[in-house]
Amino acid sequence: MDAPPPLSPTRPALPALLGRQVPIEDYAVLGDGHTAALVSRHGSVDWLCLPRFDSDACFAALLGTPEHGRWLLTVRDATEVTRRYRGDSFVLETTYRTPRGTAVVTEAMPLADGRADLVRRVECTHGEVEVEHDWVVRFGYGAVEPWVRHETDVEGCDTIRAVAGPDSLVLRGDRLPRPVGRRHHDLFTLHAGQAVELSLTWVHSWEPVPPRLTVPDRVDATEIAWGVWVRDCTYGGPYREAVVRSLLVLRLLSDVTTGGIVAAATTSLPETFGGERNWDYRFCWLRDASLTLEALLEQGFRDEATQWRDWLVRAVAGDPKDLQIMYRVDGGRRLPEFELDHLPGYAGSRPVRIGNAAVGQVQHDVLGEVMSALAMARDAGLSETADTWSLQRHLVDALAGAWREPDRGIWEVRGDPRHFTHSKVMVWAALDQAVRAVETHGLPGPVDRWRRVREEVRADVMEHGWSAERQTFVQQYGAEHTDASLLQIVHVGFVPPDGPHARGTIAAVREELEVAPGLLLRYRTERTDDGLQGAESPFLACSFWLADALARADDLAGATEVLDALVPLANDVGMLAEQYDPVTRHMVGNVPQALSHLALVRAAHSHDLAARRAATRVGAC
């Protein structure tokens, strides 16, 4: 098979189903540590939830049309559009070149100012350009048209304020658009050296308009703040640029106040264009957050571990039987799933879902990921408190009594519960980390019981989850097929990464699920009752897990080949979605996806360690 080509301007046309929809990979992301905005290559903010990731969207064109809300600032008649983030930040610069001139749009969501703002500045750097400005506010995910009026702010300047219920958006700037029908629109010419600054501010509808921001100062301060945070990254290998950008994405998806880490910034971007596999990922999965924490810890970021652990203790406090697999950003438990019938969906992919019914599922693997992340934090020097260890003890004790029950697994299948091999292995990992906490760190606990149950789990997995005939672990007890989650077995030490069990499983997974070099499906939908119709594209996190597993098995050449195929699949500003379609060569699913980015970071880290081991062996010879 030929390697899938990277995204490029010469890629094939989008499937006819997409129509005029902006390709997912054409979006960049801005963020302020509380929420995120998606900006298209041609300057349309098509997705923004304020003031938090899991708030209602006020710009929802991503899942519909411009009439569902957007903020467009673009240059007309551009023959070339390029963009980049300034340094290691989320300050976005987009350069438009036209036959008559060139302009640069700089935009950011300022950090650490206690507000929710998005600032944009367009400057003509050569000749003259025609700028288009279109402002369409629709609260409630595009359903609520606000009351819009002009107000004078505290500095005596004109503003436009859109109000609906508890929300309001305030638009200010050097030049404000005029009402045209149900939107505000402007078209103007800039000459070389001229610039227009604009700012958008969310504020409760009963509160006064806050003071204006000094746009250049806030943009510069935001660029510096992002750069300061990521400069301590310890990775220095060949994929450093991708690793640094991925670490920044993981930080962007973390709420700086609560410590919650969301799985993605969006909802209902489809896993299949036109299909029903559309989910809301703007919540905090314990699994994804734990794996994010491990990726950050491996690169030397400890403060985030403390903040996330404190969030965890608050979120899961109470009876262990009430443990959920996911929570809201603030730790809230209620995530009822419902559908937005007024939105046509991305590329006609319906339903558009808000909330996530998987919150009520039993997934036994989750505590394994949590305990592994907290163990890594302990090993990094993060001391336990009485509350944090007491919580872990109670959760492990409860799991030790319930592990024989079937569950929904890592992929949250909506079919019948099964005995998933990955789930059982992660139960073993939770118990193993609990035992190690007692043995290595001297923490109190019923270690004899934990050891006994740990060995019972291992024996059960080896009896029912291993196929002697195929020489591979299998997806679920009694099956003969695999799924990509089995690649994570080597992460927790259940089997040696270079032993026959690991190598056999890697080979079987590749044989069944690799559809292009390095690109893996999660599972074959025709073999897994996930309760849904249709197929899906290769899952990027699983593909990076393959590189990770190969590196841990000291197959450095194989890991390099996979990473070299995967890393270029990020878009021009380093974003990765959930999946990638090698046929149409387009991203699929929610974006930016934490699981994809953290898997890239961890695979690159394992690759670097494998390269060092190889160098040591050469030196020893």
Side-chain angles (χ1 to χ4, degrees), residues 157-347:
C157 298
D158 187 29
T159 71
I160 302 176
R161 188 169 188 176
V163 176
D167 299 299
S168 74
L169 281 180
V170 180
L171 180 65
R172 290 179 281 199
D174 299 327
R175 181 186 175 110
L176 296 179
R178 299 175 300 277
V180 179
R182 301 170 63 232
R183 65 181 64 215
H184 281 68
H185 190 80
D186 195 11
L187 191 64
F188 56 94
T189 299
L190 288 179
H191 299 276
Q194 293 181 328
V196 168
E197 293 178 358
L198 298 160
S199 67
L200 179 76
T201 303
W202 177 91
V203 63
H204 285 297
S205 59
W206 57 84
E207 294 178 339
V209 176
R212 291 189 173 213
L213 295 177
T214 305
V215 172
D217 290 345
R218 292 305 305 143
V219 168
D220 290 345
T222 296
E223 179 183 359
I224 291 169
W226 284 114
V228 167
W229 179 81
V230 81
R231 68 184 178 187
D232 293 331
C233 170
T234 58
Y235 178 80
Y239 308 103
R240 180 174 171 80
E241 182 178 353
V243 166
V244 167
R245 181 52 55 186
S246 291
L247 288 169
L248 286 163
V249 169
L250 296 178
R251 185 55 179 159
L252 178 142
L253 294 174
S254 306
D255 188 283
V256 296
T257 299
T258 69
I261 304 172
V262 299
T266 57
T267 180
S268 297
L269 288 180
E271 296 173 7
T272 303
F273 295 139
E276 65 174 335
R277 297 172 180 268
N278 319 314
W279 312 110
D280 193 345
Y281 281 2
R282 299 169 301 141
F283 305 114
C284 305
W285 271 255
L286 298 187
R287 175 192 305 110
D288 297 43
S290 299
L291 295 171
T292 296
L293 195 63
E294 292 187 29
L296 292 170
L297 284 167
E298 285 177 341
Q299 299 306 320
F301 298 95
R302 290 182 48 188
D303 291 345
E304 290 69 27
T306 302
Q307 190 179 35
W308 180 79
R309 188 187 65 181
D310 293 344
W311 174 90
L312 175 70
V313 171
R314 296 191 304 270
V316 308
D319 193 319
K321 73 176 185 297
D322 296 328
L323 178 71
Q324 297 182 177
I325 64 165
M326 71 179 87
Y327 297 84
R328 299 190 73 89
V329 175
D330 62 1
R333 292 171 172 264
R334 291 183 57 80
L335 288 76
E337 184 177 302
F338 59 95
E339 298 174 4
L340 299 180
D341 293 333
H342 68 277
L343 286 174
Y346 183 91

Side-chain angles (χ1 to χ4, degrees), residues 43-45 58-59 66-74 76 120 131-139 145-151 158-163 169-173 175-188 198-200:
S44 185
V45 179
C58 56
F59 299 135
E67 291 302 317
H68 294 105
R70 71 164 182 181
W71 185 16
L72 174 71
L73 184 66
T74 193
R76 283 193 165 187
R120 315 180 82 178
V131 179
E132 183 176 7
H133 184 194
D134 197 46
W135 194 64
V136 185
V137 178
R138 298 290 185 270
F139 293 108
E145 185 173 352
W147 174 37
V148 183
R149 67 182 187 272
H150 282 262
E151 288 187 2
D158 187 29
T159 71
I160 302 176
R161 188 169 188 176
V163 176
L169 281 180
V170 180
L171 180 65
R172 290 179 281 199
R175 181 186 175 110
L176 296 179
R178 299 175 300 277
V180 179
R182 301 170 63 232
R183 65 181 64 215
H184 281 68
H185 190 80
D186 195 11
L187 191 64
F188 56 94
L198 298 160
S199 67
L200 179 76

Side-chain angles (χ1 to χ4, degrees), residues 364-365 403 406-410 418-429 457-458 460-467 472-483 485-489 492 494 505:
H364 288 317
D365 71 291
W403 70 271
D407 73 336
R408 304 283 182 170
I410 185 173
R418 305 290 175 85
H419 292 282
F420 289 102
T421 301
H422 172 264
S423 293
K424 304 297 187 186
V425 170
M426 295 310 295
V427 170
W428 177 91
V457 176
R458 171 181 281 282
D460 193 66
V461 170
M462 296 308 299
E463 180 179 355
H464 302 291
W466 172 258
S467 171
T472 181
F473 287 105
V474 293
Q475 182 192 54
Q476 56 191 274
Y477 288 5
E480 285 296 317
H481 61 274
T482 66
D483 82 36
S485 67
L486 300 171
L487 295 171
Q488 291 209 297
I489 288 177
V492 295
F494 187 79
T505 300

Side-chain angles (χ1 to χ4, degrees), residues 502-568:
R503 291 187 180 276
T505 300
I506 292 171
V509 166
R510 297 192 79 167
E511 180 183 356
E512 289 184 34
L513 303 178
E514 192 171 14
V515 296
L519 283 168
L520 300 183
L521 301 171
R522 290 189 293 182
Y523 49 82
R524 291 285 179 180
T525 54
E526 65 272 18
R527 295 178 180 173
T528 301
D529 178 18
D530 59 11
L532 299 165
Q533 298 296 315
E536 59 181 34
S537 299
F539 202 81
L540 287 172
C542 297
S543 304
F544 284 110
W545 290 350
L546 173 60
D548 192 307
L550 291 169
R552 291 171 187 257
D554 280 329
D555 183 354
L556 183 59
T560 301
E561 182 179 9
V562 173
L563 282 172
D564 285 349
L566 297 180
V567 170

Side-chain angles (χ1 to χ4, degrees), residues 78-155:
T79 56
E80 181 183 356
V81 180
T82 58
R83 58 187 178 171
R84 68 181 184 99
Y85 287 118
R86 279 178 20 184
D88 293 330
S89 79
F90 286 102
V91 174
L92 181 67
E93 283 188 352
T94 305
T95 301
Y96 297 88
R97 292 179 174 84
T98 77
R100 296 187 297 124
T102 302
V104 176
V105 174
T106 303
E107 49 202 324
M109 297 187 73
L111 296 177
D113 59 5
R115 304 165 40 146
D117 299 287
L118 196 164
V119 298
R120 315 180 82 178
R121 183 177 192 272
V122 54
E123 179 182 5
C124 180
T125 58
H126 171 73
E128 64 177 29
V129 295
E130 190 174 37
V131 179
E132 183 176 7
H133 184 194
D134 197 46
W135 194 64
V136 185
V137 178
R138 298 290 185 270
F139 293 108
Y141 300 102
V144 180
E145 185 173 352
W147 174 37
V148 183
R149 67 182 187 272
H150 282 262
E151 288 187 2
T152 300
D153 66 14
V154 293
E155 286 99 346

